[in-house]
Amino acid sequence: MTQSRLTHLDMAGHARMVDVSAKPATQRKAVACGEILMASRTLDMIQSGDMPKGDVYATARIAGIMAAKKTADLIPLCHPLSLSSISVDFAAGNDKVVITAVVTTTGATGVEIEALAAVSVAALTLYDMCKAVDRGMQIDNIRLLHKSGGQSGEYNAE
Amino acid sequence: MTQSRLTHLDMAGHARMVDVSAKPATQRKAVACGEILMASRTLDMIQSGDMPKGDVYATARIAGIMAAKKTADLIPLCHPLSLSSISVDFAAGNDKVVITAVVTTTGATGVEIEALAAVSVAALTLYDMCKAVDRGMQIDNIRLLHKSGGQSGEYNAE
Amino acid sequence: MTQSRLTHLDMAGHARMVDVSAKPATQRKAVACGEILMASRTLDMIQSGDMPKGDVYATARIAGIMAAKKTADLIPLCHPLSLSSISVDFAAGNDKVVITAVVTTTGATGVEIEALAAVSVAALTLYDMCKAVDRGMQIDNIRLLHKSGGQSGEYNAE
Amino acid sequence: MTQSRLTHLDMAGHARMVDVSAKPATQRKAVACGEILMASRTLDMIQSGDMPKGDVYATARIAGIMAAKKTADLIPLCHPLSLSSISVDFAAGNDKVVITAVVTTTGATGVEIEALAAVSVAALTLYDMCKAVDRGMQIDNIRLLHKSGGQSGEYNAE
Amino acid sequence: MTQSRLTHLDMAGHARMVDVSAKPATQRKAVACGEILMASRTLDMIQSGDMPKGDVYATARIAGIMAAKKTADLIPLCHPLSLSSISVDFAAGNDKVVITAVVTTTGATGVEIEALAAVSVAALTLYDMCKAVDRGMQIDNIRLLHKSGGQSGEYNAE
Amino acid sequence: MTQSRLTHLDMAGHARMVDVSAKPATQRKAVACGEILMASRTLDMIQSGDMPKGDVYATARIAGIMAAKKTADLIPLCHPLSLSSISVDFAAGNDKVVITAVVTTTGATGVEIEALAAVSVAALTLYDMCKAVDRGMQIDNIRLLHKSGGQSGEYNAE
């Protein structure tokens, strides 16, 4: 990467939505992930308790999908995009839930913020649904895993 | 804490917005924080570069404040609340920016999700503004620091 | 009921949001229901197919709950309200799914539109999820079942 | 129609926004209708009373048009689309108002949910404006009349 | 008025949503107005042409009312409020339309921004509806006429 | 300009979102401006006071940019558009701040309403931030300066 300045600021340092009108619409994909750490008792209540786990993950999944669609309304300088697909998945780990989001579009800008927003809001939704039993949960390690389809080429996290 | 089940699910395990009509409106406060790790070169561009740092933090701050107000629209089972105050602050650390949000309300439910949402969206906004120069940034350690004002008493993270 | 004119129009016939500032905030409840008629094969795919039915109903439930919170943004003359609770339930009938929504608030206006909006949007979500296999579905019989808590007294559909 | 499963669920039964990136953008159209049954006295107040009927229908029409634009924000798995045109019309029948919505787009997915949402929200708006004089109104018979422009060919309700 | 600094900035000059938790909820009212100047031919088309003028004003009125409800989502540091009433009216003048909005609430902050937002968005809607025939329209003179109900006492524009 | 009627009304005078499906997507640009008049003491507090002016303009700038993206949600008959760029700038004048917005898109309709909305909401945000010290501010002279890129050719205000 060779950008020598923040493109979201103009020459005077003022925020702006950068001009993408010269960029062609191409197929783009982004994969982001993150995790929410919780007490093992909390994870048990989501995962293997006496109540169906479906609705906890299903609620967080829908929240993440809807958040990806709201990204341009949440992030001030983000371009509105017509997303082609969104999926959000959960995997229970050791005292944590790992969240992965995949977003694609055919557009002039990438969808990494959309994927990161889906992960973030899915994590916040898990926090909200479990907060009455566990206030010490922590959302961690939200990052971009993969990005492809734009001028800057493919990116894969190390 | 003595909740033995997730209150956001009914007896059949279905998601619902829990009934708070019997809870009195009290003054409530929540403080949340989180951080975004970045290359030192990226932090320099925000912090001490040749361009005014004002607009980067100012943009992320406004995004965080507006996200706190949108929380009930983002998080499916979250109650709408009339927030009394919101502030979002940034402190540059060692290859990271630490974000802190304070939210207060006079209402029937707490504002911890609002504070966590403000931190999350402020972090995503910093990611968005810096992503052209640094795709490896990571959002970390988002957690509740303090909560006061409800039936469950004061909470302070260890 | 003794209203002799539509209160949402002023004396000149112009739409307005009516003044509720003199109405006390009281506990209010509304129950609405509706149904979506579908081919029995479609209902089987939701209900007893080889894929978990959880996510179909869970998705429609979340959509209904979130729609109740968006009611004042959807219905032009509807007052914004801080809802105390929202639940949306589904019962499979004979070639149809019956949807019931219960909404409560402590406020100056009733929540019947919020309950009807939850039912309508839950039904639209079921339509959306099943439309690839059944375009002939029909949303029917959306109505208020019960309303209590305001000046106009309790209402129960016959 | 030969879909053998619900496309909005992945192989594990989890909700997702399906991938339309391989579908070409074509001109698409959907027509939906529905009705709201009401006491004849209520209909008279809208239709031929001493107050201009304009604002009742005009308000419901605007609500329906704006709802079509909000569809992707209301229906969790619905793709955002740039709509080309929206119209909503009303016809007074025998103790009912019949609502028809026509929506067009040039896009990768159909607009039947947008048309159904416009009808549903227009009906809810009529309910809201008349509820002080008639709580027994019923929203009925919301269905797709016509769909054209996608891979699945033209659809006309019988 | 004796404020010696901008209350929406903290001591470090950073934007914040100011704390209103100590302010009592009182009945408040604001009246704002503004005007849109246009060619007399344009005004004729709205006002006395061969097409019903109802829908032009009705559309702008609904847009203004809905904008008042969206104010806290539009204006970053504005507190969310449950509005008690909103009305928007139009008067045709000499080559202009004068727009007046009245908003009331029972709350901890005033509603002047809500009234000004209603006027602004109603004016933008008139512009949008007439722009194909008149691009030289100008929105002018948007100001607060009256404010009552808070600590700062009654305000009336000179 | 040769339009002889308001295109946003159908033959019966009813509001509709006009059909743009036959219009090609072209690169379009709009520039709008407006001003907010204020006491010189207020302008001093924004401009040259002892507190950083950055956050006042930065907040209004972000509000304007986000409003441009919300235009189709604010203005009932406005088409949703994927904006390519948005910038909002401020210049302090004699007892006023002049606001200029530039918006571009590649789309089937123009972006003049988006540019005017950005100016209007930026002005309302300045009003909101300064209202505690100056209630007599006035928003004035909001108009289109330039428009290019559509069938109707280039427009420049005289």
Side-chain angles (χ1 to χ4, degrees):
Chain A
M1 286 192 231
T2 58
Q3 292 287 149
S4 61
R5 44 185 294 278
L6 300 181
T7 52
H8 286 60
L9 300 183
D10 66 17
M11 297 309 288
H14 298 148
R16 60 175 178 182
M17 202 171 91
V18 296
D19 195 349
V20 299
S21 58
K23 299 174 77 174
T26 57
Q27 291 207 358
R28 289 153 184 275
K29 180 180 183 176
V31 183
C33 71
E35 52 200 45
I36 177 168
L37 315 184
M38 55 182 67
S40 56
R41 177 171 168 276
T42 310
L43 185 58
D44 287 348
M45 288 177 88
I46 297 177
Q47 189 70 17
S48 55
D50 52 346
M51 160 188 355
K53 68 181 172 181
D55 266 17
V56 176
Y57 288 137
T59 302
R61 178 179 286 116
I62 294 304
I65 289 171
M66 295 181 87
K69 294 194 280 184
K70 280 187 228 284
T71 303
D73 194 44
L74 285 175
I75 308 300
L77 305 178
C78 197
H79 292 80
L81 279 177
S82 290
L83 304 180
S84 299
S85 70
I86 311 168
S87 65
V88 177
D89 282 298
F90 302 92
N94 194 18
D95 289 356
K96 67 183 176 189
V97 174
V98 178
I99 306 165
T100 308
V102 183
V103 179
T104 65
T105 195
T106 301
T109 62
V111 284
E112 55 264 51
I113 300 297
E114 283 77 3
L116 291 162
V119 169
S120 297
V121 171
L124 289 168
T125 302
L126 291 180
Y127 190 103
D128 181 52
M129 294 186 79
C130 299
K131 69 179 189 291
V133 297
D134 186 357
R135 287 220 179 76
M137 289 173 290
Q138 182 168 317
I139 298 170
D140 247 351
N141 214 5
I142 296 179
R143 67 198 185 286
L144 184 65
L145 288 182
H146 168 84
K147 174 187 189 319
S148 57
Q151 293 171 309
S152 59
E154 189 168 317
Y155 169 84
N156 289 287
E158 294 157 26
Chain B
M1 286 192 229
T2 59
Q3 292 288 147
S4 61
R5 43 184 294 279
L6 300 181
T7 51
H8 286 60
L9 301 182
D10 67 16
M11 299 307 290
H14 297 149
R16 60 175 176 182
M17 202 171 89
V18 297
D19 195 349
V20 299
S21 57
K23 299 174 77 174
T26 57
Q27 290 205 359
R28 291 152 184 276
K29 180 180 184 177
V31 183
C33 70
E35 53 200 44
I36 178 167
L37 314 184
M38 55 183 67
S40 55
R41 178 173 167 275
T42 311
L43 185 57
D44 287 348
M45 289 178 87
I46 298 178
Q47 189 71 16
S48 54
D50 52 346
M51 143 195 9
K53 67 184 173 181
D55 267 17
V56 176
Y57 290 138
T59 303
R61 178 179 286 117
I62 294 304
I65 290 172
M66 295 181 87
K69 295 195 278 184
K70 280 188 227 281
T71 303
D73 194 44
L74 285 176
I75 308 299
L77 306 177
C78 198
H79 292 81
L81 280 176
S82 290
L83 304 181
S84 300
S85 70
I86 311 168
S87 65
V88 177
D89 282 299
F90 301 92
N94 194 14
D95 289 356
K96 67 184 175 189
V97 174
V98 178
I99 307 164
T100 308
V102 182
V103 180
T104 65
T105 194
T106 302
T109 61
V111 284
E112 54 265 54
I113 301 296
E114 283 77 4
L116 291 161
V119 169
S120 298
V121 171
L124 289 168
T125 301
L126 291 180
Y127 189 103
D128 181 51
M129 293 186 81
C130 300
K131 68 179 191 290
V133 296
D134 186 357
R135 286 221 179 74
M137 288 173 289
Q138 182 169 317
I139 299 170
D140 245 352
N141 216 4
I142 297 178
R143 65 198 188 286
L144 184 66
L145 287 182
H146 168 83
K147 174 188 190 313
S148 57
Q151 292 172 313
S152 59
E154 189 167 318
Y155 169 84
N156 289 287
E158 294 157 28
Chain C
M1 286 192 231
T2 59
Q3 293 287 147
S4 61
R5 44 185 295 278
L6 299 181
T7 52
H8 286 59
L9 301 183
D10 67 17
M11 296 308 288
H14 298 150
R16 59 175 178 183
M17 203 171 89
V18 297
D19 195 348
V20 299
S21 58
K23 299 174 78 174
T26 58
Q27 291 206 357
R28 289 153 184 276
K29 179 180 183 175
V31 183
C33 70
E35 53 201 44
I36 177 167
L37 314 184
M38 55 182 66
S40 54
R41 177 172 167 276
T42 310
L43 185 57
D44 287 348
M45 289 177 88
I46 297 177
Q47 189 71 16
S48 55
D50 52 346
M51 103 218 37
K53 68 181 170 182
D55 265 17
V56 176
Y57 288 139
T59 302
R61 177 180 286 116
I62 294 305
I65 289 171
M66 294 181 87
K69 294 195 279 185
K70 280 188 229 282
T71 303
D73 193 45
L74 285 175
I75 309 298
L77 306 178
C78 199
H79 292 81
L81 278 175
S82 290
L83 304 181
S84 300
S85 70
I86 311 168
S87 65
V88 177
D89 283 297
F90 302 93
N94 195 15
D95 289 356
K96 68 183 175 189
V97 175
V98 178
I99 306 164
T100 307
V102 182
V103 179
T104 65
T105 195
T106 302
T109 62
V111 283
E112 54 266 51
I113 300 298
E114 282 78 2
L116 290 162
V119 169
S120 297
V121 172
L124 289 169
T125 301
L126 291 180
Y127 190 102
D128 180 51
M129 294 186 80
C130 299
K131 70 180 190 290
V133 297
D134 186 358
R135 287 220 180 73
M137 288 174 290
Q138 182 169 317
I139 299 170
D140 246 351
N141 216 4
I142 297 179
R143 66 198 186 284
L144 184 65
L145 287 182
H146 169 84
K147 173 189 193 311
S148 56
Q151 292 172 311
S152 61
E154 188 167 320
Y155 169 83
N156 290 286
E158 291 157 30
Chain D
M1 288 195 229
T2 58
Q3 293 286 147
S4 61
R5 44 184 295 278
L6 299 181
T7 51
H8 285 59
L9 301 183
D10 66 16
M11 299 309 287
H14 298 148
R16 61 175 176 183
M17 202 170 90
V18 296
D19 195 348
V20 299
S21 57
K23 299 174 78 174
T26 57
Q27 290 206 358
R28 289 152 185 276
K29 180 180 184 176
V31 183
C33 71
E35 53 200 43
I36 177 166
L37 314 183
M38 55 182 68
S40 56
R41 178 172 168 276
T42 311
L43 185 58
D44 287 350
M45 289 177 87
I46 297 177
Q47 189 71 14
S48 56
D50 51 346
M51 118 209 27
K53 68 182 171 180
D55 266 17
V56 176
Y57 289 138
T59 303
R61 177 178 287 117
I62 294 303
I65 289 171
M66 294 181 86
K69 294 194 278 185
K70 282 186 225 283
T71 303
D73 194 44
L74 284 176
I75 308 299
L77 306 178
C78 198
H79 292 81
L81 279 176
S82 289
L83 304 180
S84 300
S85 71
I86 312 168
S87 65
V88 177
D89 282 297
F90 302 93
N94 194 16
D95 290 357
K96 67 184 176 190
V97 174
V98 179
I99 306 163
T100 308
V102 182
V103 180
T104 65
T105 196
T106 301
T109 62
V111 284
E112 55 264 51
I113 300 297
E114 283 76 4
L116 291 162
V119 169
S120 297
V121 171
L124 289 168
T125 302
L126 291 180
Y127 190 102
D128 180 51
M129 294 187 80
C130 299
K131 70 180 189 292
V133 297
D134 187 357
R135 287 220 179 74
M137 288 173 290
Q138 182 169 316
I139 299 170
D140 247 351
N141 215 6
I142 296 177
R143 66 197 187 286
L144 184 65
L145 287 183
H146 169 84
K147 174 189 192 312
S148 56
Q151 293 171 312
S152 60
E154 188 167 319
Y155 169 84
N156 290 287
E158 293 157 27
Chain E
M1 286 192 229
T2 59
Q3 293 288 146
S4 60
R5 44 185 295 278
L6 300 181
T7 52
H8 286 60
L9 300 183
D10 67 16
M11 297 308 288
H14 298 147
R16 61 176 177 181
M17 202 171 91
V18 297
D19 196 348
V20 299
S21 59
K23 298 175 76 174
T26 58
Q27 291 206 359
R28 290 153 184 275
K29 180 179 183 175
V31 183
C33 71
E35 52 201 45
I36 177 167
L37 315 184
M38 55 182 67
S40 56
R41 177 171 168 275
T42 311
L43 184 58
D44 286 348
M45 289 177 89
I46 297 177
Q47 189 71 15
S48 56
D50 52 347
M51 120 212 20
K53 67 181 171 182
D55 266 17
V56 176
Y57 289 138
T59 302
R61 179 179 285 117
I62 294 304
I65 290 172
M66 295 182 87
K69 295 194 279 184
K70 280 188 229 282
T71 303
D73 194 44
L74 285 175
I75 309 299
L77 306 178
C78 197
H79 292 81
L81 280 176
S82 290
L83 304 181
S84 299
S85 70
I86 311 168
S87 65
V88 177
D89 282 298
F90 303 92
N94 195 16
D95 289 356
K96 66 184 176 188
V97 175
V98 178
I99 307 165
T100 308
V102 182
V103 179
T104 65
T105 194
T106 302
T109 62
V111 284
E112 54 266 52
I113 301 298
E114 283 77 3
L116 290 162
V119 169
S120 297
V121 172
L124 289 168
T125 302
L126 291 179
Y127 190 103
D128 180 51
M129 294 186 80
C130 299
K131 70 179 188 291
V133 297
D134 187 356
R135 286 219 179 76
M137 288 173 291
Q138 182 169 318
I139 299 170
D140 245 352
N141 215 2
I142 297 179
R143 66 198 186 283
L144 184 66
L145 287 183
H146 168 84
K147 174 189 189 316
S148 57
Q151 293 171 310
S152 59
E154 190 167 319
Y155 169 84
N156 289 288
E158 293 157 27
Chain F
M1 286 194 230
T2 59
Q3 292 288 147
S4 60
R5 43 186 296 278
L6 300 181
T7 51
H8 286 59
L9 301 183
D10 66 16
M11 298 308 289
H14 297 148
R16 60 175 177 182
M17 203 170 90
V18 296
D19 196 349
V20 298
S21 58
K23 298 174 78 174
T26 57
Q27 291 205 359
R28 289 152 184 277
K29 179 180 184 177
V31 183
C33 70
E35 53 200 45
I36 177 167
L37 314 184
M38 56 182 68
S40 55
R41 178 171 168 275
T42 311
L43 184 58
D44 287 347
M45 289 178 87
I46 297 178
Q47 189 70 15
S48 55
D50 52 346
M51 108 217 32
K53 66 182 172 180
D55 266 18
V56 176
Y57 288 139
T59 303
R61 178 178 286 116
I62 294 304
I65 289 172
M66 295 181 87
K69 294 194 278 184
K70 280 187 227 283
T71 304
D73 194 44
L74 285 175
I75 308 300
L77 306 177
C78 198
H79 292 82
L81 279 177
S82 290
L83 304 180
S84 300
S85 70
I86 312 168
S87 65
V88 177
D89 282 297
F90 303 92
N94 194 14
D95 290 357
K96 67 183 176 190
V97 174
V98 178
I99 306 164
T100 307
V102 182
V103 179
T104 65
T105 194
T106 301
T109 62
V111 285
E112 55 264 52
I113 301 297
E114 283 76 4
L116 290 162
V119 169
S120 297
V121 171
L124 289 168
T125 301
L126 291 180
Y127 190 103
D128 180 51
M129 293 186 81
C130 299
K131 69 180 190 290
V133 297
D134 187 356
R135 286 220 180 74
M137 287 173 291
Q138 183 169 318
I139 299 169
D140 246 351
N141 215 3
I142 297 178
R143 66 198 186 286
L144 184 66
L145 287 183
H146 169 84
K147 173 187 191 316
S148 57
Q151 292 171 311
S152 59
E154 189 168 317
Y155 169 83
N156 289 286
E158 294 156 27

